[in-house]
Amino acid sequence: MTENVAERIREILDTIYSSESRQVLATLIRLLGDFDAAEEALHDAFAVALEQWSRDGVPANPRAWLVSTGRFKAIDGMRRRARFDASLVELVKQLESSASDPEARDDESVADDRLRLIFTCCHPALPPDAQVPMTLREVCGLTTDEIARAFLTRPPTVAQRIVRAKAKIRDARIPYEVPSATDLPDRLDAVLRVVYLVFNEGYSASSGGSLTRHDLSGEAIRLGRLLIELLPEPEAVGLLALMLLQDSRRAARTSPTGDLILLENQDRSLWNRDQIAEGLALVERALTSRRFGPYTLQAAIAAVHAEALSAAATDWARIVGLYNLLLRVEPSPVIELNRAVAVAMRDGPLAGLTMIDAILARGDLAKYHLAHSARADLCRRLGRRVEARAAYEQALALTQQEPERRFLARRLAELPG
Amino acid sequence: MKYMLLVYLNEQAMNDTEREECYVESAQLCHDLEAKGQYLAASPLHPVATAISVRVRDGKRLVTDGPFAETREQLGGYYLIDARDLDEAIAVAARIPPARKGTIEIRPVMEIPGLPTG
């Protein structure tokens, strides 16, 4: 074996690792019935591949080879340990006799394995702060260090959440299955919530200095693509559209100095046209299904913005109409606030201000900085300087996010004395 | 796999008629579970007013009136079932009548060696 061959095999394996390792892992979890055993088997399989492929060449179906090698190594290891631990004997027998020869299974069941993995990581029996790291770790293959950095937590915290989640999956026997048709809508909602949470964490960090942590948004979009490839449900399509349309504005929503730029002031030539085209097509697809929900409606609203040449040229009437629909499927004060802002654009600031004051009077959004900054903005446009100042100050007191604070401080400074 | 389903419910949540209906419906559920081989045991409990707590400290027995913890919803009954996995246990829990008013807590039962097999 020459150095060159080994080097070449290593490159091939790197490529296969990044494209196939999650699928191999997903299948090994099903075959071995245990996350940790599958993880170990995955690494063993790649180690054997490095040695064996250099000698014998790359097999025709690398993924199937890796699955069957990983499974064999796991059973082999368990058989050795069973000599000292009688409780493993039965388990080894079970694994050996599980007739499912991985190489005989078709692509469909392998695709199902990835779905099983997604649904298990997002099972409602796991705490929400474990669903996200489990999904990023197991489905996306991020390291605990990467996850910790992205969520501004310490790696041991992330690692502990993952360890506990795996223990719960094992001890409570959370099934490794795609949910039944009756459970699917609820369970899919849980998955979409995790994906959108990852996206939002990347799109607008909840605290700290940097407004976008694009790696996470990119990861969420990749997850969204995987999901609609495996399970083309309208709301999954709608969510992918929403993420693409929001992400398309990424380059335009912050200034070179990291300051926030509102939609109406953004340089629209910076919007990513490829993402917009893809997003618009997906919105269309989700809407024609007639089984769409809140993600699709939010994507439809983002689509109206994406198609407008300027804030003034935006079809605000259509946006108000979409918000009305959205409020019907998902009543929430935040959506009401957004509708009020759209109404202000359609009918003038006074109409919007009346609606915002009604929401604030109910006390729902009293602690929500965006409600006060929206109110401030409408007061400013109406020339009510004193009220505008008070509302900006209130908004400023309610947000921790640095770019938002700078934006509000700037607005405050710009108010005529 | 065995799961303990603990039924928590505000004791004032049902009047006498509703409670009677609940017993009938629950008994029917137990028969359904029995037919599927999922039933192991189930019972309602007398109200927390009948609860007694026992502790032994330094070899000394302490008996007090009342439940272990005062909560908004009280432990009012239990089901011990055999289910394939958590999703099956969740499906059973959702059919327990008080789930509509209270909360069913699912606890996987730990299997330890050395217990009598009844």
Side-chain angles (χ1 to χ4, degrees):
Chain A
M1 164 170 68
T2 67
E3 285 286 304
N4 272 344
V5 175
E7 191 55 37
R8 173 109 187 79
I9 293 294
R10 203 182 296 273
E11 275 170 29
I12 292 174
L13 272 171
D14 279 348
T15 314
I16 292 179
Y17 190 87
S18 58
S19 66
E20 309 273 347
S21 73
R22 295 299 108 188
Q23 300 198 25
V24 174
L25 177 73
T27 301
L28 284 171
I29 294 171
R30 171 170 53 78
L31 294 172
L32 300 172
D34 182 85
F35 275 70
D36 289 329
E39 201 114 12
E40 199 184 318
L42 174 74
H43 290 117
D44 286 349
F46 273 91
V48 176
L50 183 60
E51 189 188 311
Q52 212 162 306
W53 295 6
S54 306
R55 200 176 55 230
D56 307 337
V58 178
N61 184 343
R63 183 168 73 208
W65 187 97
L66 288 162
V67 167
S68 90
T69 304
R71 175 172 174 268
F72 175 77
K73 291 292 279 183
I75 293 174
D76 202 39
M78 238 175 272
R79 202 183 288 136
R80 260 181 286 119
R81 283 196 296 273
R83 269 186 254 149
F84 310 100
D85 182 352
S87 69
L88 287 174
V89 175
E90 199 47 42
L91 188 60
V92 172
K93 264 194 220 146
Q94 264 176 31
L95 287 178
E96 278 177 326
S97 68
S98 58
S100 54
D101 174 8
E103 284 174 80
R105 295 186 72 110
D106 52 14
D107 279 352
E108 198 179 315
S109 68
V110 170
D112 276 355
D113 285 334
R114 299 205 79 183
L115 260 188
R116 286 187 180 97
L117 184 56
I118 293 171
F119 278 109
T120 303
C121 290
C122 300
H123 198 285
L126 298 176
D129 67 3
Q131 292 177 18
V132 169
M134 275 296 282
T135 304
L136 289 173
R137 175 81 199 89
E138 308 299 325
V139 183
C140 306
L142 265 62
T143 64
T144 42
D145 278 2
E146 285 169 330
I147 299 166
R149 220 174 307 132
F151 285 87
L152 312 173
T153 41
R154 294 165 47 250
T157 311
V158 173
Q160 194 179 46
R161 282 178 192 158
I162 290 175
V163 167
R164 284 189 186 149
K166 285 181 181 168
K168 189 162 190 182
I169 289 171
R170 190 183 55 237
D171 296 339
R173 201 175 288 176
I174 293 177
Y176 195 61
E177 264 168 36
V178 177
S180 64
T182 19
D183 291 344
L184 192 64
D186 280 350
R187 297 286 307 277
L188 182 63
D189 274 356
V191 171
L192 298 180
R193 204 175 314 128
V194 166
V195 175
Y196 197 39
L197 211 99
V198 171
F199 178 81
N200 275 324
E201 191 65 30
Y203 192 64
S204 73
S206 51
S207 63
S210 158
L211 197 67
T212 60
R213 276 180 276 148
H214 180 244
D215 286 355
L216 273 185
S217 304
E219 210 59 63
I221 289 171
R222 262 193 294 282
L223 258 175
R225 285 190 203 286
L226 174 68
L227 202 57
I228 69 165
E229 183 191 312
L230 300 172
L231 191 75
E233 283 291 306
E235 271 294 86
V237 174
L239 174 59
L240 178 59
L242 176 62
M243 294 191 295
L244 286 165
L245 290 169
Q246 289 187 338
D247 201 53
S248 73
R249 305 199 286 256
R250 183 168 40 85
R253 71 194 286 271
T254 42
S255 74
T257 52
D259 283 324
L260 186 75
I261 302 174
L262 287 188
L263 187 62
E264 54 181 289
N265 302 325
Q266 286 175 12
D267 174 358
R268 297 185 179 216
S269 70
L270 294 175
W271 289 2
N272 184 323
R273 291 293 144 189
D274 291 340
Q275 283 182 315
I276 289 176
E278 195 188 352
L280 292 177
L282 289 166
V283 172
E284 207 50 49
R285 185 175 143 195
L287 284 174
T288 47
S289 77
R290 308 212 152 269
R291 291 190 294 126
F292 55 83
Y295 290 116
T296 303
L297 286 169
Q298 290 177 76
I301 292 166
V304 179
H305 287 300
E307 284 175 310
L309 294 174
S310 69
T314 306
D315 187 349
W316 290 105
R318 182 164 162 78
I319 288 184
V320 172
L322 287 165
Y323 273 123
N324 286 337
L325 275 177
L326 186 55
L327 265 178
R328 218 177 304 158
V329 254
E330 200 179 70
S332 108
V334 172
I335 294 169
E336 262 185 86
L337 174 69
N338 287 327
R339 181 180 61 168
V341 173
V343 167
M345 294 304 287
R346 187 190 62 180
D347 304 336
L350 193 58
L353 185 62
T354 314
M355 295 173 84
I356 292 180
D357 282 344
I359 301 167
L360 284 172
R362 287 203 317 258
D364 284 342
L365 296 179
K367 297 250 179 286
Y368 187 56
H369 70 280
L370 291 180
H372 294 283
S373 70
R375 181 172 199 283
D377 200 48
L378 295 183
C379 289
R380 178 183 59 84
R381 277 153 61 186
L382 288 165
R384 301 185 188 175
R385 291 196 301 265
V386 180
E387 270 183 88
R389 179 174 302 278
Y392 277 130
E393 277 166 355
Q394 196 148 13
L396 200 53
L398 288 169
T399 178
Q400 275 81 50
Q401 205 183 299
E402 225 11 81
E404 297 258 12
R405 294 184 61 85
R406 280 205 301 275
F407 170 79
L408 290 167
R410 205 168 61 235
R411 271 286 153 100
L412 204 47
E414 281 166 8
L415 275 183
Chain B
M1 168 133 181
K2 288 178 191 159
Y3 294 89
M4 178 68 107
L5 312 183
L6 301 162
V7 179
Y8 285 90
L9 183 70
N10 185 326
E11 288 179 352
Q12 263 68 60
M14 284 191 270
N15 61 33
D16 289 348
T17 329
E18 287 171 326
R19 187 165 292 117
E20 274 313 310
E21 283 167 6
C22 177
Y23 292 154
V24 173
E25 208 185 324
S26 300
Q28 184 55 50
L29 173 61
C30 290
H31 283 289
D32 288 356
L33 295 176
E34 167 82 2
K36 285 193 198 155
Q38 293 178 316
Y39 179 83
L40 295 172
S43 267
L45 302 176
H46 282 293
V48 278
T50 65
I52 304 102
S53 295
V54 179
R55 297 170 182 81
V56 177
R57 299 287 184 272
D58 303 322
K60 202 167 153 350
R61 199 174 72 185
L62 296 162
V63 179
T64 49
D65 154 69
F68 166 64
E70 298 284 353
T71 47
R72 203 168 47 81
E73 294 183 324
Q74 295 81 35
L75 181 61
Y78 70 91
Y79 288 69
L80 185 63
I81 63 160
D82 200 2
R84 192 185 59 225
D85 55 40
L86 182 68
D87 283 358
E88 215 174 85
I90 291 173
V92 173
R95 293 178 62 199
I96 296 176
R100 300 192 291 262
K101 289 187 168 173
T103 307
I104 315 299
E105 178 176 325
I106 302 178
R107 300 288 294 265
V109 172
M110 203 190 278
E111 305 271 356
I112 57 167
L115 292 179
T117 48

mmCIF file of all heavy atoms in Angstrom, chain A residues 43 55 180 188 222 265 293 300 304:
data_model
loop_
_atom_site.group_PDB
_atom_site.id
_atom_site.type_symbol
_atom_site.label_atom_id
_atom_site.label_comp_id
_atom_site.label_asym_id
_atom_site.label_seq_id
_atom_site.Cartn_x
_atom_site.Cartn_y
_atom_site.Cartn_z
ATOM 1 N N HIS A 43 -18.126 4.768 14.461
ATOM 2 C CA HIS A 43 -16.698 5.103 14.430
ATOM 3 C C HIS A 43 -15.836 3.881 14.140
ATOM 4 O O HIS A 43 -14.863 3.981 13.400
ATOM 5 C CB HIS A 43 -16.297 5.811 15.733
ATOM 6 C CG HIS A 43 -16.893 7.184 15.807
ATOM 7 N ND1 HIS A 43 -17.787 7.553 16.780
ATOM 8 C CD2 HIS A 43 -16.751 8.247 14.981
ATOM 9 C CE1 HIS A 43 -18.160 8.810 16.550
ATOM 10 N NE2 HIS A 43 -17.548 9.250 15.468
ATOM 11 N N ARG A 55 -6.700 -1.532 1.107
ATOM 12 C CA ARG A 55 -6.192 -2.818 0.642
ATOM 13 C C ARG A 55 -7.067 -3.378 -0.482
ATOM 14 O O ARG A 55 -6.591 -3.760 -1.538
ATOM 15 C CB ARG A 55 -6.183 -3.802 1.819
ATOM 16 C CG ARG A 55 -5.264 -5.001 1.643
ATOM 17 C CD ARG A 55 -5.244 -5.851 2.897
ATOM 18 N NE ARG A 55 -6.568 -6.262 3.304
ATOM 19 C CZ ARG A 55 -7.069 -6.126 4.549
ATOM 20 N NH1 ARG A 55 -6.344 -5.570 5.493
ATOM 21 N NH2 ARG A 55 -8.282 -6.539 4.830
ATOM 22 N N SER A 180 -47.548 7.367 14.084
ATOM 23 C CA SER A 180 -48.714 6.908 13.339
ATOM 24 C C SER A 180 -49.448 8.112 12.754
ATOM 25 O O SER A 180 -49.251 9.246 13.188
ATOM 26 C CB SER A 180 -49.652 6.155 14.278
ATOM 27 O OG SER A 180 -50.122 7.054 15.259
ATOM 28 N N LEU A 188 -45.251 16.320 14.069
ATOM 29 C CA LEU A 188 -44.573 17.122 13.046
ATOM 30 C C LEU A 188 -44.440 18.571 13.528
ATOM 31 O O LEU A 188 -43.409 19.210 13.342
ATOM 32 C CB LEU A 188 -45.325 17.066 11.714
ATOM 33 C CG LEU A 188 -44.660 17.832 10.564
ATOM 34 C CD1 LEU A 188 -43.303 17.248 10.224
ATOM 35 C CD2 LEU A 188 -45.539 17.858 9.330
ATOM 36 N N ARG A 222 -30.858 23.475 6.035
ATOM 37 C CA ARG A 222 -30.505 22.110 5.587
ATOM 38 C C ARG A 222 -31.479 21.085 6.186
ATOM 39 O O ARG A 222 -31.934 20.177 5.504
ATOM 40 C CB ARG A 222 -29.080 21.771 6.016
ATOM 41 C CG ARG A 222 -28.052 21.972 4.903
ATOM 42 C CD ARG A 222 -26.709 21.328 5.244
ATOM 43 N NE ARG A 222 -26.062 21.980 6.364
ATOM 44 C CZ ARG A 222 -25.403 23.143 6.279
ATOM 45 N NH1 ARG A 222 -25.314 23.772 5.120
ATOM 46 N NH2 ARG A 222 -24.835 23.689 7.341
ATOM 47 N N ASN A 265 -35.965 50.229 5.283
ATOM 48 C CA ASN A 265 -34.744 50.953 4.898
ATOM 49 C C ASN A 265 -33.690 50.056 4.251
ATOM 50 O O ASN A 265 -32.597 50.524 3.936
ATOM 51 C CB ASN A 265 -34.130 51.636 6.126
ATOM 52 C CG ASN A 265 -35.101 52.604 6.778
ATOM 53 O OD1 ASN A 265 -35.889 53.254 6.082
ATOM 54 N ND2 ASN A 265 -35.087 52.669 8.099
ATOM 55 N N GLY A 293 -50.807 25.835 7.236
ATOM 56 C CA GLY A 293 -51.014 26.389 8.572
ATOM 57 C C GLY A 293 -50.188 27.646 8.781
ATOM 58 O O GLY A 293 -49.845 28.338 7.809
ATOM 59 N N ALA A 300 -46.034 33.298 3.335
ATOM 60 C CA ALA A 300 -46.770 34.059 2.315
ATOM 61 C C ALA A 300 -46.602 35.562 2.557
ATOM 62 O O ALA A 300 -46.485 36.345 1.615
ATOM 63 C CB ALA A 300 -48.242 33.655 2.323
ATOM 64 N N VAL A 304 -44.744 38.434 0.083
ATOM 65 C CA VAL A 304 -45.240 39.730 -0.400
ATOM 66 C C VAL A 304 -44.128 40.780 -0.279
ATOM 67 O O VAL A 304 -43.894 41.564 -1.201
ATOM 68 C CB VAL A 304 -46.498 40.182 0.382
ATOM 69 C CG1 VAL A 304 -46.978 41.540 -0.130
ATOM 70 C CG2 VAL A 304 -47.608 39.149 0.254
#
